[in-house]
Amino acid sequence: MTHPLLRAPRIVTTPRLSLLPPGPEHLPDLIRLKADEAVFGFMLHGTRTPERTREELEDDIAFWQVRGYGTWSVFERATGDFLGIAGLMERPDGRGVALRFALWPACRGKGYAREAARAALEFGHAAGLPRIIGVARESNHASRAVLADAGMRECDRFLNHGHHMLVYESLRPAPKPCAAGRAMLRPCPTSPPSPP
């Protein structure tokens, strides 16, 4: 039986954004994004060389094939402009599946990161992930605001290379039970055919 994550549609659209699984055609945009200190300076392992970005793209494509989720390239629907990345990845420290996002500084204050983060969380939970975390430096108030506005709550903290890191989590909502006392709807009995 196919895992539900592998059956889920992989392209996600929101009112302003298109989230596309990464492909080789996204490499030039990803190289520019991941080399930018203002964007990737706060990310795990910092900025990337073009060679490392190429390797990560290959890994991201393979991750999608195996897991049915991963990192999307984020584009503005109205213009087709590449805005950055957002998605779900396994953290190398074993803490679980984590929400990550990194958009150009020009996107700040426009709500694009929040929109992409909410879409990624909804995708992950709808596809069966029971818990998704987000990690941000305590000093990174912008990322912390995005995580909180996406509905995540602070649940843990740890030290990483001298930085205080905060862990946020989002738990898949429980299915809503039927309203108490509500009559069960039953199909109408089929009327016997009228005699000729």
Side-chain angles (χ1 to χ4, degrees), residues 118-132 150-153 169-177:
R118 286 188 191 118
L121 288 174
E122 287 173 14
F123 178 95
H125 287 318
L129 292 172
R131 180 176 185 260
I132 300 168
M152 304 182 85
R153 66 173 190 84
E169 70 177 357
S170 173
L171 303 176
R172 184 172 59 185
K176 294 181 181 176

Side-chain angles (χ1 to χ4, degrees), residues 15-66:
R16 297 183 297 164
L17 306 174
S18 291
L19 282 65
L20 307 177
E25 67 278 13
H26 301 162
L27 182 59
D29 286 325
L30 292 169
I31 287 174
R32 287 187 307 115
L33 183 81
K34 292 187 175 188
D36 192 308
E37 183 67 32
V39 180
F40 256 70
F42 286 104
M43 299 295 282
L44 190 63
H45 307 305
T47 56
R48 275 50 162 185
T49 64
E51 294 76 22
R52 181 64 190 136
T53 298
R54 186 177 289 103
E55 292 169 2
E56 287 186 348
L57 175 58
E58 292 169 2
D59 291 344
D60 286 345
I61 292 169
F63 194 89
W64 268 103
Q65 294 301 317
V66 173

Side-chain angles (χ1 to χ4, degrees), residues 26-194:
H26 301 162
L27 182 59
D29 286 325
L30 292 169
I31 287 174
R32 287 187 307 115
L33 183 81
K34 292 187 175 188
D36 192 308
E37 183 67 32
V39 180
F40 256 70
F42 286 104
M43 299 295 282
L44 190 63
H45 307 305
T47 56
R48 275 50 162 185
T49 64
E51 294 76 22
R52 181 64 190 136
T53 298
R54 186 177 289 103
E55 292 169 2
E56 287 186 348
L57 175 58
E58 292 169 2
D59 291 344
D60 286 345
I61 292 169
F63 194 89
W64 268 103
Q65 294 301 317
V66 173
R67 297 295 187 92
Y69 62 87
T71 299
W72 288 274
S73 293
V74 179
F75 296 87
E76 185 177 29
R77 291 178 65 184
T79 62
D81 289 345
F82 174 79
L83 302 182
I85 61 170
L88 305 167
M89 292 298 292
E90 283 283 345
R91 278 188 61 87
D93 58 13
R95 284 185 160 81
V97 176
L99 171 69
R100 62 192 302 240
F101 50 88
L103 278 68
W104 291 117
C107 296
R108 291 177 187 155
K110 298 179 180 177
Y112 290 131
R114 288 169 178 80
E115 197 167 323
R118 286 188 191 118
L121 288 174
E122 287 173 14
F123 178 95
H125 287 318
L129 292 172
R131 180 176 185 260
I132 300 168
I133 66 166
V135 177
R137 287 185 189 176
E138 188 173 38
S139 60
N140 188 345
H141 298 286
S143 288
R144 290 174 57 192
V146 169
L147 296 173
D149 287 351
M152 304 182 85
R153 66 173 190 84
E154 188 181 331
C155 65
D156 198 6
R157 56 181 58 222
F158 63 97
L159 269 176
N160 182 41
H161 300 295
H163 297 288
H164 292 275
M165 309 299 291
L166 302 181
V167 181
Y168 291 74
E169 70 177 357
S170 173
L171 303 176
R172 184 172 59 185
K176 294 181 181 176
C178 293
R182 188 167 136 192
M184 295 294 293
L185 296 178
R186 300 180 191 279
C188 296
T190 306
S191 303
S194 302

